[in-house]
Amino acid sequence: MNINTDLLHAHQLHARLTGTYKPEAMAHISPIYQTSTYVLEDFDSAVYLNQHVDEGFVYTRFGSPNCDELEKKIAHLEHAEAAISLASGLGAISTAVLSIVKAGDHVVFGDVIYGCSYTLFAKVLSRLGVTYTRVDTSNVQAVADAIQPNTSLVYVETPANPTLKISDIAAISEVVHQHEGITLIVDSTFASPYLQNPLDLGADLVVHSATKYLCGHGTVTAGVVAGSKERIDRCRMPYLQCFGAVLDPFAAWLLMQGMKTLGVRMERHCSNAMKVAQYLEKHPKVDRVYYPGLESHPTHEIAKKQMHNGYGGMMSVDIKGGMDAVRKVMNNMKVFSLATSLGNVDSLIQHSPSMSHFDMSPEERYAASIFDGQVRLSIGIEDVDDLIEDLEQALKLV
Ligand SMILES: *Cc1c(COP(=O)(O)O)cnc(C)c1O
């Protein structure tokens, strides 16, 4: 099937698809299994299932029908053997990363990545004996040069939060896989499976903050990891088991509803964002627009090659006049909400240096083109003329 059909029907439990006319399969929308534990048939099946937790349901931290359904769908959409769902994007990222690195290892990651992912490497794992090198991952040679004999992980976010820098996944995969024992993880949150499939380009694991486009409505925090069965099994056991970032069944259920409309939402996010980016690029109060769909974007060519169906709904904008101008704009938006997060149906505006990327030092931020006068826009699916009008009236005030 094609992706918009898959978004609705792939791995849906219901009877028409499975041919099983039991009550749980006959429900058109799967029920929510809001239970922490499962009643087991007898002593022997209890013993068996506790050792084979992927063959049934025992306890919700080990798996639930709602998470199972979601994970099969994510695996399908990311062309993966398996997937695992977790309680947040960072739950997914930290679980995936901890399933790979150990004390004494070295990690290479991008100079522009989501702020808390940076914190995980720079402030948490560094305390546990994992060293790191930050590089411009849009420069494949820089990635190659950063690899050391003890490197076990290369971590790339593309499009990168918040400057939308694009890294060439296929070229990086080639470099990484010349070495034995290095895993390539790609955070594909900004693209969603509708615009990009990193595993097809050679990544070993793809991670998403499902809080964003996959959910689409700002109603849950969730994360997913997809890849080979062997790698996903390792994420589950012992890492999800022990760190316990399990996704709640209700959140998994909400995600299943949200994902059905991913295609139609992304089409509108992409077309609205392109129009807003073109408008802002010509605006006299704007220094620079970071949107990978614009030909002026330094990594537009890689985006064109690597992404499909569009360039996404995210952009950053340098406003002339620095922080004072940003304050005026953000305080006067009428349609955009002043909120962090992204990928919701409605438009959001945030200040990356003080919100999503507050944990980086000013020097690290400036080197990564995250400037004080920069706002990040998550373009929603409203009528685009209203979004442009909202930006117009707020920019008039600076
Ligand atoms: C938001 C975000 C995360 C973290 O996800 P949470 O669901 O907030 O834990 C990770 N990566 C990127 C690119 C993000 O935008």
Side-chain angles (χ1 to χ4, degrees):
M1 299 288 178
N2 293 301
I3 186 160
N4 283 297
T5 311
D6 277 343
L7 283 167
L8 288 152
H9 297 290
H11 296 284
Q12 207 72 38
L13 279 178
H14 58 70
R16 195 168 55 78
L17 296 174
T18 58
T20 358
Y21 287 86
K22 290 183 183 166
E24 64 270 26
M26 287 165 73
H28 178 56
I29 303 296
S30 302
I32 305 168
Y33 291 81
Q34 199 67 33
T35 177
S36 57
T37 194
Y38 289 82
V39 177
L40 304 171
E41 219 171 305
D42 54 27
F43 175 78
D44 290 324
S45 66
V47 171
Y48 180 84
L49 275 180
N50 267 282
Q51 281 153 24
H52 302 84
V53 288
D54 53 347
E55 289 179 35
F57 300 106
V58 174
Y59 184 62
T60 290
R61 181 158 43 78
F62 300 164
S64 67
N66 297 104
C67 290
D68 188 52
E69 188 183 31
L70 170 67
E71 289 163 358
K72 290 198 166 96
K73 193 165 196 115
I74 294 286
H76 186 90
L77 295 172
E78 282 293 12
H79 313 153
E81 275 175 19
I84 182 170
S85 56
L86 297 106
S88 67
L90 246 302
I93 292 165
S94 57
T95 300
V97 167
L98 284 160
S99 77
I100 293 155
V101 301
K102 59 182 187 323
D105 284 2
H106 171 258
V107 175
V108 177
F109 67 91
D111 58 351
V112 187
I113 62 172
Y114 174 63
C116 296
S117 307
Y118 161 87
T119 306
L120 171 68
F121 294 118
K123 305 203 173 160
V124 178
L125 290 174
S126 60
R127 286 185 58 215
L128 303 177
V130 178
T131 56
Y132 65 86
T133 308
R134 290 173 69 231
V135 294
D136 174 0
T137 51
S138 71
N139 176 348
V140 180
Q141 191 56 47
V143 176
D145 293 345
I147 289 173
Q148 298 178 8
N150 60 337
T151 302
S152 60
L153 171 65
V154 173
Y155 183 91
V156 174
E157 187 175 298
T158 183
N161 187 352
T163 61
L164 284 296
K165 180 152 75 176
I166 308 293
S167 299
D168 188 333
I169 301 169
I172 292 174
S173 160
E174 210 164 288
V175 161
V176 165
H177 294 126
Q178 277 168 15
H179 304 264
E180 205 148 316
I182 307 183
T183 298
L184 173 61
I185 297 185
V186 173
D187 182 336
S188 190
T189 298
F190 272 35
S192 88
Y194 197 74
L195 303 184
Q196 174 173 287
N197 296 110
L199 300 178
D200 291 349
L201 303 170
D204 298 302
L205 289 172
V206 55
V207 295
H208 289 277
S209 168
T211 311
K212 316 292 172 53
Y213 287 107
L214 286 168
C215 172
H217 298 76
T219 48
V220 302
T221 63
V224 294
V225 189
S228 70
K229 184 167 185 316
E230 190 205 340
R231 287 179 181 281
I232 296 302
D233 282 350
R234 194 158 65 229
C235 288
R236 198 180 300 279
M237 194 71 106
Y239 295 94
L240 170 60
Q241 297 303 303
C242 296
F243 290 108
V246 64
L247 184 64
D248 179 75
F250 180 44
W253 183 90
L254 281 169
L255 256 171
M256 286 296 286
Q257 311 318 313
M259 278 167 58
K260 291 178 184 177
T261 57
L262 179 68
V264 287
R265 284 187 282 113
M266 288 315 290
E267 297 285 344
R268 179 76 81 92
H269 284 301
C270 292
S271 67
N272 277 3
M274 184 63 103
K275 287 176 194 150
V276 170
Q278 285 166 344
Y279 156 77
L280 287 172
E281 197 173 36
K282 287 192 233 101
H283 200 288
K285 305 252 172 87
V286 166
D287 261 334
R288 184 168 163 198
V289 179
Y290 307 71
Y291 183 65
L294 292 177
E295 279 176 19
S296 62
H297 192 272
T299 48
H300 170 70
E301 287 305 318
I302 311 170
K304 207 158 111 182
K305 178 180 82 161
Q306 169 165 290
M307 299 174 76
H308 40 79
N309 297 328
Y311 301 96
M314 295 301 299
M315 71 188 66
S316 282
V317 186
D318 288 336
I319 298 174
K320 282 184 185 156
M323 206 92 99
D324 287 339
V326 164
R327 184 176 289 109
K328 278 209 188 95
V329 169
M330 290 183 59
N331 285 345
N332 287 287
M333 300 301 290
K334 307 270 191 286
V335 181
F336 284 76
S337 301
L338 196 173
T340 193
S341 197
L342 58 106
N344 291 357
V345 283
D346 48 329
S347 294
L348 307 175
I349 183 169
Q350 73 137 19
H351 183 237
S352 306
S354 61
M355 295 172 76
S356 58
H357 292 71
F358 71 94
D359 223 7
M360 290 167 78
S361 70
E363 296 71 34
E364 285 171 326
R365 284 202 304 267
Y366 301 153
S369 298
I370 306 169
F371 301 115
D372 293 345
Q374 192 175 94
V375 293
R376 192 189 71 188
L377 305 179
S378 173
I379 303 296
I381 62 169
E382 298 95 338
D383 291 297
V384 71
D385 291 347
D386 294 330
L387 299 179
I388 290 174
E389 172 59 31
D390 196 26
L391 288 160
E392 179 78 21
Q393 62 82 24
L395 283 166
K396 262 202 189 103
L397 305 170
V398 306

